[in-house]
Amino acid sequence: MKRTRITLTAIVALIVSLAACKQVSAQNMATNSGIPGAKLPDSSKFTGKVDGKDTHLYYLANKNGMRAAITNFGGRIVSLLVKDKNDSLKDVVLGYDDIKSYQKRGEPFFGAIIGRYGNRIAKGKFTLDGNNYQLDINDGVNTLHGGFKGFGFRVWDAKQIDGHTLELMYTSADGEGGYPGELHAKVTYTLKNDNSLSIDYSATTTKPTVVNLTNHSYFNLNGAGSATILNDSLKVNADNITPVENTLIPTGALQPVKGTPFDFLRFKAVGQNINDSDPQLKNGKGYDHNFVLNKHTLAKPVAIVKSPVTGIVMDVYTAEPGLQFYTGNFLTGYTKDGKGGVAYPRRSAICLETQHFPDSPNEPSFPSTRLNPGQTYHSVTVYKFSVIK
């Protein structure tokens, strides 16, 4: 009998070849949709190195023509293409055309994974088991979104599972940004055939710590680059908000939304009350507040946004207790550096960030964000799209 010898080199070459074919197949499915409208960014402009680690752009697609582009720099959703009422693709998230733009000073966290702690912590301080921790101060007198170099500015290890799933992993060192414990984080993006983008977060730690992960996509259902989202309709299942003082730290109280500009229990235009004379709107320069979600599960949406222009509808699902509603009050539109050379002016997008409450480590009455060794943090966010024709 004649025997065939297979060398280790040949096996490795075969594995590499199969992986390359898998990546090319995913890219082809994402880019060659044959549907008119917006296109995905050029992946070559995201190939580079940051802090000595390789960066790339990954494409996801479903059978209905929905497309996504995600970079492992900060786990950022760069583009999300959704069909409108005319069956044309609209890019519904703000972002940039190249990796360098995401590294510029003052970059507003477009599409980023936020961690270790999404939102603000007062004066960058908290105490855990009698130990005092000082975090980066990067937002006036407070810590915002993990500090100067939170998860949105780190290069994640990426693995494309198939044409609709991307797995990202990052290990945050003990003491990084001032946070205790080595944190092992994993985020999985899945673009499903029901036209939903699922974001699955998990993390473990080597020491007691605090964790609050979210995604900071800026949505414009009229299409990224459209001038305003103030005519979009919004509904949020929340009877209360956590009111804030003038540095946007919660006071610790809950404030009913009924009879205030924050009442979105029924659909109303985002801009209907945004310029009302209200101390909370003044503090946030518009909406930039945590909504305390009413009792809910992942089975029903906690928020719904509708565009009267494109007919696109986005449902938001989560089991988290809070939702940060932000109307892009700090966007300026000074430079035309958005995708396709467009400007992103003030209030040209909304963020709906699923979360535990801001400053929870310093507010015992808020749901706890503590994570202990041996426990696993887990959270799921789903953005599901449909269209009204």
Side-chain angles (χ1 to χ4, degrees), residues 180-347:
E182 183 177 270
L183 192 82
H184 299 270
K186 182 170 77 170
V187 176
T188 303
Y189 287 103
T190 307
L191 190 58
K192 300 182 178 181
N193 287 330
D194 64 356
N195 291 333
S196 68
L197 179 66
S198 171
I199 311 174
D200 188 296
Y201 308 88
S202 63
T204 59
T205 183
T206 59
K207 294 180 182 178
T209 192
V210 294
V211 181
N212 192 27
L213 305 182
T214 190
N215 180 273
H216 209 305
S217 286
Y218 286 69
F219 293 99
N220 187 327
L221 303 188
N222 306 318
S226 296
T228 184
I229 43 78
L230 296 183
N231 294 322
D232 287 5
S233 295
L234 174 67
K235 180 180 179 182
V236 181
N237 182 27
D239 290 332
N240 297 279
I241 62 167
T242 50
V244 295
E245 37 91 299
N246 61 6
T247 71
L248 301 181
I249 294 294
T251 64
L254 301 185
Q255 175 179 304
V257 301
K258 188 175 181 179
T260 77
F262 295 85
D263 187 352
F264 286 92
L265 288 165
R266 295 183 179 181
F267 281 107
K268 73 175 181 182
V270 170
Q272 180 172 319
N273 301 113
I274 199 168
N275 293 316
D276 286 6
S277 179
D278 179 275
Q280 285 300 307
L281 290 175
K282 181 180 179 181
N283 286 343
K285 296 181 173 56
Y287 295 108
D288 192 3
H289 294 76
N290 173 61
F291 281 65
V292 180
L293 297 172
N294 297 337
K295 186 177 180 180
H296 64 286
T297 67
L298 273 169
K300 291 186 178 181
V302 297
I304 304 173
V305 190
K306 299 178 181 180
S307 166
V309 177
T310 63
I312 295 173
V313 179
M314 183 177 75
D315 293 1
V316 183
Y317 298 80
T318 185
E320 289 292 303
L323 182 75
Q324 188 79 10
F325 171 40
Y326 171 56
T327 45
N329 311 311
F330 298 102
L331 297 176
T332 64
Y334 290 155
T335 56
K336 294 183 177 181
D337 60 354
K339 287 176 291 188
V342 301
Y344 296 138
R346 185 173 185 246
R347 296 177 179 169

